[in-house]
Amino acid sequence: MSQIIVAQNIHGIVLAVENRIVQFDEKGEEARLEVNRLIRIGTHCALLVTGAVEATDMGRALKDFIWEEKMADVQEIYGASLAFLSTEYERFMRKKCELLPIDPIHQVSFILAGRTEKDREMPFRLYFLWTKKKLPRLDGDEISYAFAVPRRMGLEFQLNKMAKENAPLKDILKKMKEAMEQLKGRGEVNGPFSFGTITEEGVQLLSP
């Protein structure tokens, strides 16, 4: 599963994702692919994707839907995304799987990040949309400050502390880049990586 790391505070949101996919062919042989797992779906909204390779296609389909519907506020987009991605995932499962429970290689996860005009005290929001273990559907919940998929409890503790203290986004971004390089050095991730921020000015995709 590709690594995702996010954190948010009053200044905005910082995003990091590993653009690696591992999948298996019909012979069971491993193949590594590189795809963009950080998708800008609005002027102030982005989607991070991990799990099955088809999750990226679901994310791109969501992007087209959001642009067609002219949605901008992340709270509105969250409700629409949960319904849309659940439908896309169910369609994928019906096509790929004949038996349940779900094979782990078919699981998908998304993190929706964006800005809302409905709450000026907490304008930036993060939502986690993930695969339930026994049903071909998605569920969602809000992320308070920082989160990683797969989980990295030590890193999340540090990022939570920085976010609660409203550290500058550049410092949080530096911490995420260092963490990705450390994970790469231990062979736990491979890269390449994508990084981004969301502020009042909108989504900014950054070079590694």
Side-chain angles (χ1 to χ4, degrees):
M1 179 177 287
S2 301
Q3 185 69 54
I4 291 176
I5 308 170
V6 297
Q8 66 95 10
N9 61 21
I10 194 64
H11 303 302
I13 302 173
V14 183
L15 313 166
V17 63
E18 177 190 10
N19 292 318
R20 173 186 61 89
I21 295 175
V22 176
Q23 65 177 9
F24 298 89
D25 59 23
E26 296 177 354
K27 298 179 180 180
E29 297 180 355
E30 182 179 295
R32 295 178 181 268
L33 305 175
E34 294 180 10
V35 297
N36 183 13
R37 293 234 169 193
L38 174 53
I39 304 170
R40 177 178 174 175
I41 64 172
T43 58
H44 291 76
C45 196
L47 187 74
L48 295 88
V49 182
T50 190
V53 62
E54 289 83 1
T56 302
D57 295 331
M58 298 178 202
R60 292 181 182 136
L62 175 65
K63 172 185 175 180
D64 294 340
F65 172 74
I66 296 302
W67 281 99
E68 288 172 4
E69 295 297 320
K70 297 180 172 59
M71 295 182 187
D73 191 286
V74 70
Q75 289 182 309
E76 179 183 7
I77 291 174
Y78 169 62
S81 297
L82 190 55
F84 183 92
L85 291 173
S86 292
T87 300
E88 290 293 304
Y89 182 66
E90 183 176 2
R91 183 181 295 117
F92 159 65
M93 288 301 299
R94 289 182 183 279
K95 182 178 179 181
K96 288 287 185 179
C97 303
E98 297 179 357
L99 299 173
L100 296 179
I102 299 169
D103 190 303
I105 66 171
H106 297 137
Q107 293 184 356
V108 299
S109 299
F110 306 90
I111 292 182
L112 179 68
R115 188 173 187 275
T116 179
E117 295 289 344
K118 299 177 181 178
D119 188 344
R120 296 194 177 277
E121 292 185 1
M122 292 183 58
F124 299 101
R125 301 296 176 92
L126 291 166
Y127 299 96
F128 181 43
L129 297 81
W130 76 98
T131 312
K132 283 196 170 184
K133 292 183 179 179
K134 295 183 179 180
L135 296 174
R137 58 176 293 186
L138 301 180
D139 202 353
D141 204 357
E142 188 166 0
I143 298 167
S144 297
Y145 290 101
F147 196 70
V149 184
R151 304 301 301 275
R152 306 286 180 181
M153 303 310 294
L155 174 61
E156 289 177 48
F157 176 82
Q158 296 175 56
L159 291 174
N160 266 287
K161 185 174 184 294
M162 295 177 73
K164 288 179 180 179
E165 295 172 352
N166 285 317
L169 298 187
K170 63 180 179 63
D171 293 346
I172 296 176
L173 176 62
K174 180 181 178 183
K175 184 66 179 178
M176 287 188 185
K177 288 184 175 182
E178 291 173 350
M180 282 296 204
E181 289 301 321
Q182 290 171 359
L183 291 170
K184 184 177 180 181
R186 298 200 298 263
E188 297 181 39
V189 302
N190 292 286
F193 309 116
S194 291
F195 301 92
T197 61
I198 303 176
T199 63
E200 290 186 359
E201 286 72 37
V203 176
Q204 182 179 8
L205 302 181
L206 308 171
S207 300

